Amino acid sequence: MEYLNTLFTLEGKTAVVIGGTGELCGAMAEGLAGAGAQVILVGRNAEKADARIKKIKEMGETPVFIECDVSSKESLLAYDPTHLVKDAAKPLPTLIDQGEADSFLQEQLQP
């Protein structure tokens, strides 16, 4: 098993999970954290985020939550996505998008 952990580790990486407070993307966020990534959850519901953050912290990771309605272009535009990179402790290679955010977010987050 150690071989697989080494082969697929996300240690030293950061993942932004849009919709990370929901069931599907939240499970993905937990999986990414379990593989060693720092996870940035983006969602509308701080209460749902609290439960997900607690689970990820139990894995030994330090997640970040950003409250943002990704179904609203205005909400996305109001948030400076470069702030995500400044908040992240590790480099940003992974963006999980539940399908509602515009592609400009991905473009702006690339180094």
Side-chain angles (χ1 to χ4, degrees):
M1 224 29 196
E2 184 62 35
Y3 170 75
L4 290 177
N5 290 341
T6 302
L7 185 62
F8 296 108
T9 186
L10 294 176
E11 290 290 330
K13 308 291 184 189
T14 300
V16 177
V17 183
I18 297 173
T21 59
E23 291 304 314
L24 180 59
C25 289
M28 287 185 221
E30 288 180 27
L32 292 164
Q38 181 193 8
V39 177
I40 299 174
L41 303 170
V42 180
R44 294 176 295 190
N45 189 318
E47 261 183 50
K48 286 171 69 176
D50 287 343
R52 192 68 64 187
I53 286 169
K54 181 179 177 186
K55 286 182 181 179
I56 293 172
K57 281 184 176 180
E58 289 171 357
M59 295 178 194
E61 293 298 326
T62 307
V64 174
F65 172 65
I66 296 167
E67 191 168 349
C68 180
D69 181 356
V70 298
S71 66
S72 162
K73 188 170 185 173
E74 291 76 27
S75 180
L76 284 169
L77 288 170
Y79 186 80
D80 176 9
T82 58
H83 188 319
L84 294 173
V85 178
K86 293 174 192 165
D87 280 349
K90 303 173 184 177
L92 180 68
T94 307
L95 176 66
I96 304 279
D97 177 3
Q98 69 175 6
E100 294 182 27
D102 291 336
S103 62
F104 79 92
L105 185 59
Q106 278 188 319
E107 292 170 10
Q108 292 185 30
L109 287 174
Q110 298 308 314

